Amino acid sequence: MRGIRVVLIQNDGVARTIDNAAIGVSLMEVGRAEGVDGILGDCGGGCSCATCHVYVDAEWQQRVGPPDDVEIATLDMVSHLQQSNSRLCCQIVLTPELDGLKVTVAPAE
Amino acid sequence: MDSKQAGHCPVTGHGQTPLADMTLSNPKIGAQPNAYYQAMRVEDPVHYDEKLGMWLVSRYDDIVTVLRDPLTYSDKHGYAAQYASGFFQEFKAILERDGGGFFPDAIKDDPPAHTRVRRLLDKAFTAHRVATLEPGITAIITRLIEQLADKAANGQVVDGVNDFAIPLTISVICEQLGISQFNSGKIQRWSSAVTAQIGRMQNREQMLDNAAQICDLQNFIIAEMKARETEPREDMISDLVHATLDDGSKLTFAEAVSLIRALIIAGNDTTATAIGNLLFVLATRPEVATALQASVDDERLMNRFVEELLRIEPPVRGLAKMTTREIELGGRLLPKDAHLLVLYASGNDDETQFTCPRNFDLNRSNIGKHVAFGVGVHRCVGASLSRMEIKVAAREVVRRLADIKLAVPVEQIRYQPTVAVRSIERLPLTFTRR
Ligand code: HEM
Ligand code: FES
């Protein structure tokens, strides 16, 4: 299956466009594999470390959806960086509907 | 600046202690280390502890630098140099002779070998999977608390560590692994024996005892694995015995033994220590007991309570790494093969990161920034599981017990003789039923 396009904007302002991101994997795995700055993914997608924190672009927020309770609890651990469009991108599984998805990587601290 | 800042804090716990002649291997310092940590952070942040022969990394920023660069600061070599220190060849020979073999810890390797096995363990205790375990964990914990409450109601002194925290964590991990028949006292002795190998304070006689315990542990693991080779069950030992890794390969026998051993051991003493600390704090700091009481019906505050407990009293205080090349760290030029002790506990106590670090404060905005679970590729795989155990223990203790008090003067509380963890040995308590 053909992949989708996702864009992650790093803290240095550089937009990293990944053109052939595989369907069914998480945005964290894609970002980590491509070495996107700030996508560390320490816990490997276990929703426990908050080192894959992104802000979802306004126009994509609805399609990406809100975090669930477990993710909300982990986001609270970085409440100093949290915004209304915060997501842990290991919990965003790529689907064909997310083709074009754009997010900004949250600052480290 | 630091002492001035500390002067404004209601609780300081720091103080000026000269660094010279101090060593973390002194049990007195090991038991009450915060003044030593602070002196290091201020005077000599990457400090050479002569007696240990190790560089102590004390500042938060330097700790994160080390942990984020696993190829320069090798976990594998740091661990190997710490393991059974002073007796390694003899220790290894005993395990080969009586314990089925010497199985190096596959998870304590460096990338890329580490990454291969780590991806497998990452899947074991995700926060979502652990959330589904909450009812089972609650059942284990309430049963134990009720037993304790009965004992206390009969006027008996209860040991919060050995009668509660340790059996609790052992029951949880055994259930996960699928070990249905177990002797909690035995598993505790195995845990202590393994943990002592990185503690730097065992003499030869203790090493021989510990090696015998570890042989027993390995023979037990091997038998459990054999029982699942042809007939897999719905449990984690079966999963590991039959696992296929992301690269399509299988675990070797030695790798599987080492991973099962790691899962049995790594989470027991550590989580039990945190739960012992919970009870100690409730018995000695009324403001914390009040804060917990007020938070008990609020999930968010309970999660924050657990994080702040781990920040202020981190069970794992120091683990080893080794430099693979000459490198500057914290203003100090370290040679290749410098043996480091990363002081997570000092990082959590660093006043440049955490305002008034000895205060127990549920409202810290950076509450998850502590390094009690480490940072980077080796960050604890059991973090979600231990958080859940601590949270449920805190909730059920506060709901069911009142008037928790130490049954001995606080000066009599002793800590395990090891540089790796700061763990209360025995915690005599009295309390009533709520
Ligand atoms: C409060 C309880 C716990 C604390 C404080 C704790 C702390 C830590 C720390 C500091 C590390 C090492 C990070 C580094 O190398 O820098 C670690 C690694 C590890 N922990 Fe935990 N831990 C706890 C509970 C658990 C539990 C419950 C399990 C198992 C179910 C577990 C399994 C492991 C394993 C397997 C590693 C090695 C990970 C690796 O090197 O990739 N831990 N833990
Ligand atoms: S990778 Fe750890 S929370 Fe997403």
Side-chain angles (χ1 to χ4, degrees):
Chain A
M1 194 188 339
R2 210 183 59 80
I4 60 170
R5 166 179 296 200
V6 294
V7 182
L8 299 101
I9 300 167
Q10 300 180 155
N11 279 294
D12 58 9
V14 173
R16 299 286 306 273
T17 301
I18 296 153
D19 269 324
N20 206 11
I23 305 292
V25 305
S26 76
L27 183 59
M28 180 281 285
E29 288 169 275
V30 170
R32 184 173 65 180
E34 296 288 329
V36 173
D37 216 35
I39 302 294
L40 299 163
D42 282 0
C43 76
C47 202
S48 74
C49 72
T51 64
C52 63
H53 183 183
V54 298
Y55 306 123
V56 177
D57 237 46
E59 60 176 301
W60 286 96
Q61 245 184 302
Q62 190 145 20
R63 248 171 293 178
V64 170
D68 67 13
D69 287 351
V70 171
E71 187 180 334
I72 288 171
T74 305
L75 278 168
D76 186 50
M77 299 300 139
V78 288
S79 58
H80 56 311
L81 302 171
Q82 204 179 350
Q83 297 179 7
S84 59
N85 57 345
S86 280
R87 287 296 311 266
L88 297 174
C89 72
C90 66
Q91 303 302 307
I92 303 177
V93 176
L94 299 181
T95 58
E97 293 70 50
L98 294 181
D99 197 0
L101 174 63
K102 198 167 154 199
V103 304
T104 302
V105 179
E109 283 303 336
Chain B
M1 171 214 118
D2 296 304
S3 56
K4 199 163 117 231
Q5 198 180 344
H8 291 286
C9 297
V11 188
T12 65
H14 292 151
Q16 288 307 317
T17 315
L19 274 183
D21 302 331
M22 290 178 72
T23 168
L24 203 55
S25 62
N26 174 343
K28 281 219 180 88
I29 294 174
Q32 302 300 335
N34 288 70
Y36 185 45
Y37 296 158
Q38 197 208 19
M40 267 187 277
R41 290 193 302 268
V42 173
E43 292 169 35
D44 191 19
V46 180
H47 173 69
Y48 190 69
D49 187 320
E50 296 271 342
K51 188 107 184 288
L52 284 175
M54 296 180 87
W55 299 90
L56 309 187
V57 185
S58 64
R59 282 189 183 162
Y60 183 93
D61 286 337
D62 294 337
I63 290 170
V64 172
T65 300
V66 167
L67 299 179
R68 287 254 171 252
D69 186 356
L71 293 178
T72 303
Y73 301 96
S74 161
D75 194 45
K76 175 182 183 161
H77 296 294
Y79 187 70
Q82 196 78 325
Y83 210 83
S85 181
F87 312 103
F88 180 73
Q89 289 309 330
E90 190 179 4
F91 172 87
K92 181 166 179 254
I94 297 171
L95 265 64
E96 283 165 348
R97 190 187 67 210
D98 301 332
F102 177 77
F103 307 110
D105 274 284
I107 194 67
K108 302 291 284 178
D109 209 327
D110 294 333
H114 171 259
T115 317
R116 174 175 163 271
V117 290
R118 172 72 196 214
R119 294 284 178 268
L120 186 66
L121 291 195
D122 276 341
K123 294 174 197 140
F125 295 111
T126 65
H128 286 89
R129 179 160 180 274
V130 168
T132 69
L133 305 178
E134 181 162 2
I137 291 176
T138 306
I140 291 174
I141 290 178
T142 52
R143 184 167 36 80
L144 277 166
I145 293 179
E146 289 305 320
Q147 283 170 9
L148 291 193
D150 288 343
K151 230 175 140 179
N154 289 331
Q156 291 181 49
V157 171
V158 166
D159 181 343
V161 169
N162 295 287
D163 296 342
F164 180 58
I166 289 176
L168 186 172
T169 56
I170 288 177
S171 301
V172 170
I173 197 69
C174 285
E175 185 163 313
Q176 287 308 304
L177 288 166
I179 303 171
S180 51
Q181 297 290 320
F182 60 89
N183 172 333
S184 166
K186 215 175 191 183
I187 296 187
Q188 186 191 347
R189 286 191 294 279
W190 293 342
S191 296
S192 310
V194 176
T195 313
Q197 301 318 314
I198 55 168
R200 289 296 298 276
M201 283 156 148
Q202 69 176 350
N203 57 33
R204 178 161 178 276
E205 203 179 322
Q206 290 163 330
M207 180 281 287
L208 294 174
D209 274 355
N210 289 331
Q213 292 289 344
I214 298 172
C215 288
D216 199 28
L217 163 64
Q218 292 185 173
N219 292 323
F220 171 82
I221 292 173
I222 291 167
E224 293 283 330
M225 287 170 62
K226 289 254 147 66
R228 289 162 177 81
E229 255 163 27
T230 46
E231 285 176 65
R233 304 177 198 165
E234 288 283 318
D235 62 32
M236 217 166 264
I237 295 183
S238 299
D239 292 350
L240 286 169
V241 167
H242 296 281
T244 304
L245 294 109
D246 286 356
D247 62 4
S249 65
K250 295 270 181 192
L251 289 175
T252 64
F253 175 74
E255 285 171 336
V257 176
S258 87
L259 292 180
I260 295 166
R261 186 182 59 202
L263 289 176
I264 296 178
I265 303 306
N268 271 336
D269 263 16
T270 47
T271 312
T273 295
I275 292 171
N277 291 341
L278 162 76
L279 296 172
F280 179 80
V281 165
L282 293 178
T284 55
R285 292 181 75 164
E287 84 281 11
V288 178
T290 309
L292 179 58
Q293 196 75 54
S295 312
V296 72
D297 294 318
D298 183 325
E299 266 308 287
R300 174 172 177 269
L301 288 177
M302 286 306 287
N303 290 330
R304 289 184 151 255
F305 181 89
V306 172
E307 292 314 298
E308 184 64 350
L309 180 73
L310 290 166
R311 186 197 64 79
I312 207 162
E313 289 295 347
V316 177
R317 93 162 91 223
L319 297 178
K321 311 282 165 179
M322 189 174 271
T323 54
T324 55
R325 59 184 171 94
E326 187 180 83
I327 182 88
E328 191 182 315
L329 178 69
R332 166 89 68 181
L333 190 65
L334 295 172
K336 179 176 181 297
D337 298 331
H339 202 195
L340 311 184
L341 191 68
V342 178
L343 289 177
Y344 309 90
S346 180
N348 283 6
D349 192 44
D350 190 331
E351 45 285 289
T352 66
Q353 303 295 325
F354 305 103
T355 321
C356 296
R358 299 324 297 157
N359 287 11
F360 197 102
D361 179 2
L362 295 186
N363 296 315
R364 291 181 189 281
S365 65
N366 60 354
I367 199 151
K369 206 180 170 186
H370 69 78
V371 289
F373 290 119
V375 156
V377 300
H378 290 285
R379 185 189 287 249
C380 180
V381 301
S384 293
L385 181 64
S386 56
R387 281 170 170 147
M388 177 64 83
E389 293 178 64
I390 301 164
K391 181 181 79 177
V392 174
R395 188 175 66 207
E396 298 305 325
V397 161
V398 163
R399 282 188 179 157
R400 289 159 200 269
L401 306 178
D403 298 323
I404 302 175
K405 293 201 176 71
L406 290 186
V408 297
V410 67
E411 304 76 47
Q412 286 181 23
I413 300 297
R414 304 248 234 101
Y415 291 82
Q416 284 178 28
T418 155
V419 299
V421 294
R422 179 165 179 267
S423 291
I424 296 173
E425 280 188 330
R426 288 189 313 110
L427 186 62
L429 295 171
T430 59
F431 43 77
T432 57
R433 244 202 185 95
R434 190 172 289 280

